[in-house]
Amino acid sequence: MNSVFFKERAPRPVSIFFVLLLAFSLVFAAPVSAQQTVPAASDDRQPKQTAEPLSTATPEGALFHLERERVEGGAELLTIFGSLRGLPRKAVGAVGGDGADTEENEVPLVSILRDTLGDADPENDRLRYVWMHTYTRPTAGKRLASAVPFLYTRVGNKKRVRAGEPPPALIDLAAPDRDVWRRMMWVALQNLFFDPYGIAVKSSVRAFKRNAEDYRKSHIIRALAVLSLYEAESDIESVFTPVEMREIQSRLMLAERTFGGIVDDSYLQRVYQKESAHWQDLRGHNWELLRQRAEAEGLYFEPLLLPDGSATHAMLWVARGDLEINRNRAFDARFLNIKDPWRDKRLSQWDGYRETRYMDAEHRWVSSQTPGARSVEMIPLALYGLDHPKIPMMLVDFRDGGNPKQREMSRRLLEDVSRNLLSLSPFGDVHYFLGRTVYDFVTGRRGMDINQPSRLRSYSQLKLLLSLSASLDPALREEVRRRVERVSMNPLENDLAAETELARTQYAALIAYARRPDGLPARLDRDRRYEMVPLAHGHTSRFMFRLANLLSLGLYTHREKVAPGALVSQLDTERRLAYHRRFLREVSKSTPLVEVVWKIEDVRRSLRYISEYGSRADAKTARATSRIFARTEDEETRRLCIHSLYRINNETAKAELLRIYRIPDLDPRLRMLSAELLRTAVREEQRIAPADAKAINSAVGQ
């Protein structure tokens, strides 16, 4: 079919250009991230500040500590360091600091840039980039390998970072919609320019894109886990407010979704709660399922705990003494997906890793000092991930190293063959859709670990567990680590030891980048001028700017040219307005009576700001203000709501103010205030719907 296609249609010159562009991007382009090339700083930079590292006080023995680095122009770089207790310790020189000795297991994990506009008031702060220091730009060889179809293995490690090259960011929290536009651009390029060239180009591009997305997703998962552990460590006073922490975590969660970048900030708290509940339910379900199956088959279940006490993984063991006793026992591998241990001759002659445990008369694990305890030699069978849909996912099979990888490859192989080779689609091929539906139903119902969702989340968390937790025996930890690296399917991945060194090197590069006037400070200035675009242009203009950015493949980005003083002043007002808008919308959705749950003075402060500077507030803010009016009995708060609705210059605000005026049992003083402000809004020719303007003239007069 493809030979006929090429005979009938010659490649178009514009398509040849895009194919060459793809080859160039595979070798030299940066991975999918929020980071962009930064030119030299402009002459209108902010006054230079002293760039000196600041450390927070950390209790002795804490798993994490945080360091601050001031950035010229009014920002700070916050870095979470983790004590990798699962790695050996040895003294090395500190990175990014003053050269003092530190321990090798203290590793920079996550950095976040907070744009403070140079003051200490959190109301005008804005979170920007998130770096996971193990996330790096792959080498040219790794990029080429990631574009090879059906290559499901890791290919070496990246050993060094190019001098002066800052690490790529995982996400830009200030502009998460960029990821959505980037995905749309890739889909358009894939279907319009790459797919017509046949199987080779189509498969290569899809493989490269899939591996790049999985590589980024694995580090997003680890960044989320690090932030959760940092937040859970009760001895540390976090420098992030609860709102900031939820914003970071929610945006990272949404980064995995196609249209997650366009979710409004007011829904981030709900996203976090929903996602957290979802994964907790999965863990509880898989915990019980695996424990019950293990007990039914005569095996031993042991959860593996992260430092915060959460169990994301579990192991199954078999007692060597039970092998002879249960030789003729039937074994049901459903949900366990391992071979029968009772008839496996290798276990009776097992020379791999094993542990001596102690049990009491009721077969419970106890310490060796417990009266009546007896020693039992335990052999590990498998390690499972509990954060997975439907069933516990086997990550390590201690008897068959290829078992997990074959099961992990099953879904990927089926998708690559059907979509890339056979060009089948569930939406265009009815027979394929019906067959795939039946197949998925049967494997899902039977608990078969074939054609299941990727183990990417469980593997990413397991690598973090191996690094942070010292509870595992060193020999067992090394055995698990070695087997996990063999299962990796992504050519872009690096092993745990290489990632540790990359994290230190990339953190040093980031600190150097933050201290260069033409580095992070220049990038910060450009981002602020990009942030000014919505203040100066409407929806149509912004859409055209975004389209130009996509058509130029990111080479053109419109930014406003604003003097430094005016830039900071305008951003300060706009950010404070956004802060109070978001707070009021959260208040309006959370409780039937505002003063019961919230500090009424905090609500008043936000309403005062809206009533003074809120002419640019949107319709959602107007509706939130109206709901607060209906859900409070405090007279001063109600008066502030009325003033805020008058100040907000849009049709929704005036419609809500008119509705308040028409409330039958409204306090006469509030009704009089509403009427006066409605008349004033008409005289000032504020934005009012024609029907509402007519109703205002009829009800309250001129």
Side-chain angles (χ1 to χ4, degrees):
M1 179 181 297
N2 288 295
S3 61
V4 175
F5 177 85
F6 279 111
K7 288 179 182 178
E8 294 178 352
R9 292 180 58 187
R12 293 169 293 178
V14 66
S15 299
I16 295 176
F17 166 75
F18 277 102
V19 172
L20 294 176
L21 179 64
L22 168 67
F24 178 83
S25 65
L26 291 179
V27 180
F28 299 104
V32 178
S33 71
Q35 191 72 20
Q36 298 180 359
T37 304
V38 181
S42 60
D43 294 334
D44 56 352
R45 293 192 304 267
Q46 300 297 310
K48 184 175 181 181
Q49 296 180 356
T50 303
E52 60 178 1
L54 301 175
S55 298
T56 59
T58 306
E60 184 178 356
L63 182 62
F64 298 101
H65 77 272
L66 186 137
E67 292 189 1
R68 303 180 191 225
E69 175 77 18
R70 289 178 181 153
V71 179
E72 175 188 345
E76 57 183 0
L77 189 65
L78 308 172
T79 302
I80 299 175
F81 281 72
S83 177
L84 303 191
R85 299 170 180 176
L87 298 180
R89 296 168 176 256
K90 61 180 180 180
V92 294
V95 292
D98 55 3
D101 285 345
T102 186
E103 292 183 343
E104 186 182 13
N105 71 332
E106 290 288 330
V107 176
L109 298 175
V110 177
S111 289
I112 299 171
L113 181 65
R114 177 194 277 157
D115 183 0
T116 64
L117 293 180
D119 59 33
D121 191 344
E123 290 186 3
N124 63 359
D125 290 353
R126 187 158 196 181
L127 298 173
R128 291 199 176 275
Y129 297 108
V130 177
W131 289 272
M132 183 72 188
H133 289 294
T134 56
Y135 179 65
T136 184
R137 292 180 177 86
T139 61
K142 280 181 167 289
R143 293 181 189 278
L144 292 174
S146 69
V148 176
F150 304 105
L151 180 61
Y152 305 138
T153 186
R154 189 171 58 81
V155 288
N157 296 309
K158 180 177 180 178
K159 297 182 179 179
R160 61 180 61 88
V161 176
R162 191 183 310 170
E165 180 183 67
L170 277 178
I171 188 174
D172 183 358
L173 297 172
D177 59 314
R178 289 179 181 175
D179 288 338
V180 178
W181 289 93
R182 188 180 292 111
R183 290 189 183 100
M184 293 173 61
M185 181 186 70
W186 266 101
V187 170
L189 290 176
Q190 179 74 50
N191 289 278
L192 295 177
F193 301 106
F194 299 140
D195 288 358
Y197 276 90
I199 294 175
V201 175
K202 174 182 178 180
S203 301
S204 296
V205 175
R206 290 186 182 274
F208 172 77
K209 182 60 177 173
R210 172 72 176 268
N211 287 324
E213 288 179 347
D214 286 350
Y215 180 59
R216 178 177 179 238
K217 182 179 178 180
S218 68
H219 288 82
I220 286 176
I221 292 169
R222 272 188 266 180
L224 274 168
V226 169
L227 291 169
S228 297
L229 293 172
Y230 172 77
E231 185 182 24
E233 195 162 44
S234 58
D235 293 336
I236 295 181
E237 183 179 354
S238 176
V239 297
F240 300 104
T241 66
V243 173
E244 286 180 328
M245 184 61 75
R246 294 296 173 264
E247 179 183 353
I248 299 169
Q249 293 172 318
S250 301
R251 284 299 178 192
L252 288 173
M253 293 173 179
L254 291 169
E256 305 174 22
R257 302 183 181 179
T258 303
F259 297 104
I262 61 177
V263 174
D264 191 84
D265 289 348
S266 62
Y267 295 100
L268 295 182
Q269 179 72 16
R270 190 181 308 176
V271 168
Y272 175 79
Q273 294 174 348
K274 184 176 180 180
E275 287 292 310
S276 299
H278 170 70
W279 292 113
Q280 288 177 1
D281 291 344
L282 283 182
R283 288 181 190 177
H285 166 78
N286 288 330
W287 172 302
E288 281 303 310
L289 182 60
L290 187 61
R291 183 188 63 81
Q292 292 176 12
R293 291 300 306 152
E295 292 179 356
E297 301 304 322
L299 306 177
Y300 293 88
F301 169 85
E302 180 186 20
L304 303 180
L305 304 179
L306 283 169
D308 66 344
S310 61
T312 56
H313 300 80
M315 285 190 63
L316 291 189
W317 301 77
V318 64
R320 184 186 288 272
D322 293 343
L323 296 174
E324 183 66 27
I325 299 174
N326 297 321
R327 177 177 298 178
N328 298 321
R329 179 174 179 167
F331 181 77
D332 185 359
R334 186 179 184 185
F335 300 118
L336 302 181
N337 295 297
I338 57 176
K339 295 180 180 179
D340 185 352
W342 311 124
R343 295 173 179 80
D344 191 346
K345 296 181 180 180
R346 291 175 298 176
L347 289 178
S348 60
Q349 303 173 357
W350 185 256
D351 58 354
Y353 179 84
R354 51 195 180 274
E355 285 187 14
T356 299
R357 302 283 185 92
Y358 294 86
M359 293 186 180
D360 59 14
E362 298 181 359
H363 299 279
R364 294 177 300 189
W365 289 353
V366 296
S367 68
S368 59
Q369 306 300 323
T370 303
R374 57 185 179 89
S375 63
V376 180
E377 185 175 332
M378 307 296 296
I379 300 174
L381 292 179
L383 188 150
Y384 296 82
L386 303 179
D387 276 7
H388 201 277
K390 297 181 181 179
I391 61 175
M393 274 294 156
M394 181 180 54
L395 307 179
V396 176
D397 187 338
F398 289 90
R399 292 176 292 164
D400 184 0
N403 186 19
K405 186 159 188 173
Q406 292 171 5
R407 298 177 183 275
E408 174 71 1
M409 287 173 52
S410 60
R411 185 182 185 89
R412 178 79 176 268
L413 184 63
L414 179 62
E415 290 182 352
D416 287 348
V417 170
S418 60
R419 295 180 61 186
N420 299 337
L421 293 184
L422 304 179
S423 299
L424 298 176
S425 170
F427 304 102
D429 300 277
V430 178
H431 299 291
Y432 172 72
F433 172 75
L434 294 177
R436 181 68 180 270
T437 302
V438 173
Y439 179 68
D440 291 345
F441 176 78
V442 172
T443 55
R445 291 284 292 181
R446 294 296 303 168
M448 300 170 62
D449 190 3
I450 298 176
N451 189 39
Q452 295 294 335
S454 174
R455 293 165 167 78
L456 185 62
R457 179 182 179 88
S458 293
Y459 272 122
S460 299
Q461 291 180 332
L462 179 57
K463 293 182 76 171
L464 189 65
L465 172 65
L466 295 175
S467 302
L468 296 177
S469 178
S471 60
L472 290 177
D473 181 81
L476 176 61
R477 184 169 54 246
E478 178 61 24
E479 178 73 10
V480 172
R481 186 199 62 78
R482 181 175 58 85
R483 292 179 178 272
V484 165
E485 299 298 349
R486 291 179 180 177
V487 179
S488 177
M489 295 176 53
N490 196 334
L492 301 178
E493 287 284 353
N494 300 288
D495 66 24
L496 190 58
E499 287 181 342
T500 303
E501 293 305 317
L502 284 172
R504 296 190 179 93
T505 306
Q506 293 206 132
Y507 175 68
L510 181 61
I511 292 298
Y513 178 63
R515 294 176 178 177
R516 292 202 320 259
D518 62 341
L520 193 54
R523 178 64 181 166
L524 181 64
D525 176 72
R526 288 162 56 83
D527 286 338
R528 286 174 176 173
R529 289 190 283 116
Y530 177 80
E531 188 181 345
M532 291 290 296
V533 173
L535 306 183
H537 301 278
H539 293 286
T540 303
S541 299
R542 297 204 302 271
F543 175 79
M544 298 304 297
F545 293 149
R546 176 61 67 184
L547 184 61
N549 176 265
L550 291 176
L551 294 178
S552 65
L553 301 178
L555 297 178
Y556 171 78
T557 300
H558 182 79
R559 297 178 177 88
E560 296 300 308
K561 296 181 180 180
V562 187
L567 174 67
V568 173
S569 176
Q570 293 181 49
L571 286 181
D572 179 78
T573 301
E574 188 64 22
R575 288 185 186 177
R576 291 178 187 275
L577 181 60
Y579 173 88
H580 292 294
R581 285 198 308 251
R582 181 174 175 177
F583 176 72
L584 292 176
R585 290 167 66 181
E586 185 177 357
V587 170
S588 68
K589 295 178 181 179
S590 61
T591 174
L593 191 60
V594 172
E595 48 264 42
V596 172
V597 178
W598 300 90
K599 292 182 179 179
I600 197 65
E601 186 53 41
D602 293 341
V603 180
R604 291 173 184 169
R605 185 174 67 253
S606 293
L607 289 170
R608 289 191 191 101
Y609 197 89
I610 296 294
S611 64
E612 185 173 357
Y613 300 100
S615 60
R616 289 178 49 87
D618 55 10
K620 294 180 180 179
T621 306
R623 284 190 284 268
T625 304
S626 179
R627 284 195 295 267
I628 292 175
F629 179 91
R631 297 177 181 181
T632 181
E633 297 176 355
D634 182 73
E635 182 177 352
E636 182 179 353
T637 303
R638 286 188 149 200
R639 294 179 67 87
L640 287 170
C641 288
I642 293 175
H643 279 283
S644 298
L645 290 173
Y646 157 72
R647 181 64 175 171
I648 299 173
N649 188 15
N650 60 51
E651 297 177 356
T652 302
K654 300 309 172 289
E656 293 294 336
L657 186 54
L658 180 60
R659 187 188 61 80
I660 290 176
Y661 171 79
R662 290 172 171 173
I663 296 176
D665 56 347
L666 183 65
D667 186 296
R669 291 172 296 181
L670 297 179
R671 189 187 304 279
M672 184 180 302
L673 177 62
S674 303
E676 178 184 350
L677 293 178
L678 284 171
R679 285 192 293 266
T680 305
V682 172
R683 288 195 300 268
E684 293 176 349
E685 297 183 351
Q686 292 191 20
R687 296 173 56 190
I688 306 174
D692 291 336
K694 184 177 180 180
I696 291 173
N697 290 329
S698 175
V700 301
Q702 293 292 335

